[in-house]
Amino acid sequence: QVQLQESGPGLVKPSETLSLSCSVSGGPINNYYWSWIRQPPGKGLEWIGYIYSSGSTNYSPSLKSRVTLSVDTSKNQFSLKLRSVTAADTAEYYCARVAVGTYWHFDLWGRGTLVTVSS
Amino acid sequence: DIQMTQSPSSLSASVGDRVTITCRASQSIASYLNWYQQKPGKAPKLLIYAASSLQSGVPSRFSGSGSGTDFTLTISSLQPEDFATYYCQQSYSIPYTFGQGTKLEIK
């Protein structure tokens, strides 16, 4: 079955760029929407943005100035870059598949990866 | 942004109980409402989409209802594996937003 796996550094220094990848296995990345969602320790969920396999994107306005999503269909993976990070960006980062149609929802999630912003 | 407010924030219940969690949107979102279950240290899992559609593989004791601004998630008979945190999420407009969560604990 389709599985998602996040990867990337677990520690990022303040003001630097957080970079994560999500590998999709067991199924195609093409013709799907893919999303990133984060969760600060002990807190709720925040949607970051989504990307279609063609590369079109949509971002949360609160993060739009610092976020870039990209996709590499040849590697069956998509990526997140978050610039100028602060301690407030410390969170568990999840990648997820977006089930589309009339009602969009996140039907498949990666296990998550904890990113800590600290010097 | 559409604000999603869940109540209660926490709930204690016993195995076999019927439990209802409420989610209210700050504006009408028709049926663009999803429910997720999250266990400690795990990723969220989709339970219900489009307010009342049961995700494949999810036990039938879970059900969702509502439209417009008021929604409910009901667990008809609590099982030990149901003790978790539940989140609602709207997909009516960008940015997609989640409720603050309802933690369901064992009484």
Side-chain angles (χ1 to χ4, degrees), chain B residues 10-34:
Chain B
S10 63
L11 174 61
S12 294
S14 301
V15 172
D17 283 353
R18 180 183 180 90
V19 167
T20 296
I21 298 169
T22 297
C23 178
R24 175 164 289 175
S26 60
Q27 67 181 74
S28 177
I29 59 170
S31 295
Y32 293 84
L33 191 283
N34 309 311

